[in-house]
Amino acid sequence: SKGLRDRIMTLPFVENAEVRRTLHFGVEVRVVSRVPAAKIVTNSGEYEVDLLGRYIRRSNNNNRLIPIEIRVEKPMQAGIVTPIEGIAQIVETAALSAQLEPVRAVKIVVDQSNDICLNMSDEVRIRIGQAEDLQSKFLRIRQYYKEGNVARPKIQELDVRLPDNVV
């Protein structure tokens, strides 16, 4: 049963597997699937990744996932962590973005310096910068929208890269 489990674990969409023998030469298999957390959009295609940035599969036009546009130099391999510096933190940005209200991120763009920019449903661009100190950056974003800024004259860009910087 260990050999069967090892083969199942090579499948890119499998998070974990349990295999055990049952009575009368039976086998019971329990599989836990990886859950797509973001859609990575590259020049070679769209790929679904889990929270760790592990490539699960090519995207099946899953519109509930926030697309992350990023340049990838190396080919992506199923089941392997995506070859992008800081990918887990970039995917965490997508997860945090999905929790924003009353607006939501419609696209995340990561530039060649790994600076992150959220394109919001109200057409405001939010400059996050590097994927560090994300909790406090998202706290500032939530504060901006909570303070009723949605009703204020429209801004084009919000910059939360520095602690005291909400422009």
Side-chain angles (χ1 to χ4, degrees):
S1 64
K2 181 175 174 5
L4 177 57
R5 181 189 184 278
D6 290 345
R7 286 195 305 265
I8 292 170
M9 290 299 296
T10 64
L11 299 171
F13 57 86
V14 174
E15 177 76 30
N16 197 5
E18 293 178 19
V19 177
R20 67 182 192 110
R21 295 181 190 269
T22 62
L23 294 175
H24 307 295
F25 304 102
V27 175
E28 182 178 301
V29 179
R30 293 185 181 170
V31 174
V32 176
S33 297
R34 294 187 196 285
V35 177
K39 178 173 27 177
I40 304 293
V41 180
T42 71
N43 54 353
S44 63
E46 297 182 359
Y47 308 89
E48 293 178 7
V49 297
D50 66 8
L51 278 172
L52 297 175
R54 216 174 292 123
Y55 167 32
I56 301 171
R57 63 181 168 245
R58 282 196 171 268
S59 180
N60 60 358
N61 294 324
N62 190 339
N63 292 327
R64 70 175 180 78
L65 297 175
I66 299 171
I68 301 173
E69 289 185 2
I70 192 165
R71 184 175 177 182
V72 178
E73 298 293 329
K74 299 175 185 171
M76 296 180 63
Q77 294 180 295
I80 306 295
V81 173
T82 307
I84 300 168
E85 184 179 331
I87 187 62
Q89 293 80 9
I90 293 168
V91 172
E92 181 184 1
T93 302
L96 291 167
S97 299
Q99 300 169 13
L100 291 174
E101 292 181 2
V103 298
R104 63 182 217 72
V106 293
K107 180 170 63 170
I108 298 172
V109 178
V110 182
D111 70 14
Q112 65 273 12
S113 301
N114 266 8
D115 279 352
I116 301 168
C117 181
L118 306 178
N119 293 338
M120 305 302 288
S121 58
D122 63 352
E123 299 180 2
V124 173
R125 291 182 39 183
I126 301 177
R127 297 184 64 169
I128 300 282
Q130 297 292 304
E132 54 199 21
D133 198 21
L134 290 174
Q135 294 298 327
S136 70
K137 290 176 180 179
F138 274 88
L139 177 63
R140 292 194 302 275
I141 294 168
R142 280 191 288 280
Q143 285 173 331
Y144 173 79
Y145 282 111
K146 186 177 178 181
E147 291 171 359
N149 288 316
V150 175
R152 289 187 187 168
K154 186 157 168 113
I155 65 166
Q156 292 181 341
E157 188 170 285
L158 180 65
D159 190 336
V160 296
R161 291 178 292 177
L162 302 174
D164 297 326
N165 196 21
V166 177
V167 180

